[in-house]
Amino acid sequence: MKNILTYILLVFLFSCSSTKQKENLIGNWYSNSDNNYGFIEFQFYNDSLIIYDKLGKEFTQWEVNKDKIQLTHINGFTDKKQLTYSYKLDKSNELLTLKILGDTIIQLPELMKAKSTYAFFQKNIGIEIDLPIKENELIPLSFPNNLVFNIYAGFSDNNLIVKTDFTSDLKNLEKEVADFKENSREELKPFLRFNLIADKNITESQMDSIKDQLKRTSIERIFRTYKNKQTDYENNLNWFGQKE
């Protein structure tokens, strides 16, 4: 009788542990920090998982066991029927590390938990940006990342922050742009442009000051991102806007 009770207790504890592990994973996880992988999204639901990356979209069922995630019934771009990841969460359960296990172990970029794609974008850059609305039709940026120099202008604790992908301010902007241009192919240099992603509450004089700094560099084109009915930043980061 004692052995049976011990067995039941162990099964119960294992079940609780597995349920807690699953709860920590359920939600949306994103990465956009690695040029080799591009934008990655994992949408964990109770029994299903949807994966988006540059290869396409994948549906699968999943289970978690200790430090492993087992994928089964995979429907997508891979010909594999099963796949196993090892995983690790940080102490806050907000950052997820995944490795694909097999003959070769593949390390994926670190993923961040967020409610939506745009929420991930804001968490990733560390500032809040409420995009301005344009009623007229916007044009898509539609340029690869290696042709776009991003400028982010928004707020943190009511303080205006203007930063790049490389530094937290614009103090070294001219050098950053020079390095960016130096690493670009010669025939592509005329197509380089700024993507100015700026909050709607930035004053006109502040915006003029930002643009003046951009114009002092060797990149001539400025594209500013806006939102309207045709944009869907909650589900993707395909920027729309206009030339400025």
Side-chain angles (χ1 to χ4, degrees), residues 12-24:
F12 175 76
L13 292 174
F14 176 80
S15 176
C16 289
S17 175
S18 180
T19 301
K20 184 63 177 176
Q21 286 177 293
K22 203 160 192 177
E23 288 175 353
N24 289 336

Side-chain angles (χ1 to χ4, degrees), residues 20-133:
K20 184 63 177 176
Q21 286 177 293
K22 203 160 192 177
E23 288 175 353
N24 289 336
L25 287 167
I26 289 174
N28 298 342
W29 300 83
Y30 304 89
S31 174
N32 197 31
S33 59
D34 191 302
N35 289 330
N36 293 323
Y37 288 93
F39 182 79
I40 302 174
E41 179 180 357
F42 279 67
Q43 295 179 355
F44 284 95
Y45 300 95
N46 189 47
D47 295 313
S48 63
L49 167 63
I50 302 175
I51 303 171
Y52 296 88
D53 64 20
K54 64 182 182 181
L55 294 177
K57 184 178 181 180
E58 187 174 73
F59 298 87
T60 179
Q61 295 179 13
W62 70 288
E63 288 293 338
V64 60
N65 182 9
K66 296 183 180 179
D67 63 345
K68 302 288 191 304
I69 298 171
Q70 183 70 42
L71 307 189
T72 58
H73 301 89
I74 299 171
N75 181 8
F77 51 82
T78 181
D79 57 357
K80 294 185 177 181
K81 301 302 180 184
Q82 296 188 4
L83 199 62
T84 302
Y85 291 93
S86 68
Y87 84 95
K88 184 178 181 181
L89 289 166
D90 74 333
K91 292 181 179 180
S92 68
N93 292 326
E94 295 292 317
L95 296 174
L96 173 64
T97 301
L98 290 175
K99 293 180 182 178
I100 302 175
L101 303 182
D103 295 336
T104 302
I105 296 175
I106 302 174
Q107 173 78 61
L108 295 184
E110 188 174 62
L111 294 139
M112 180 184 295
K113 195 171 193 178
K115 292 182 179 180
S116 69
T117 306
Y118 195 77
F120 157 70
F121 161 72
Q122 293 188 105
K123 289 176 71 173
N124 196 38
I125 62 172
I127 56 177
E128 295 183 5
I129 301 177
D130 189 358
L131 290 171
I133 297 174

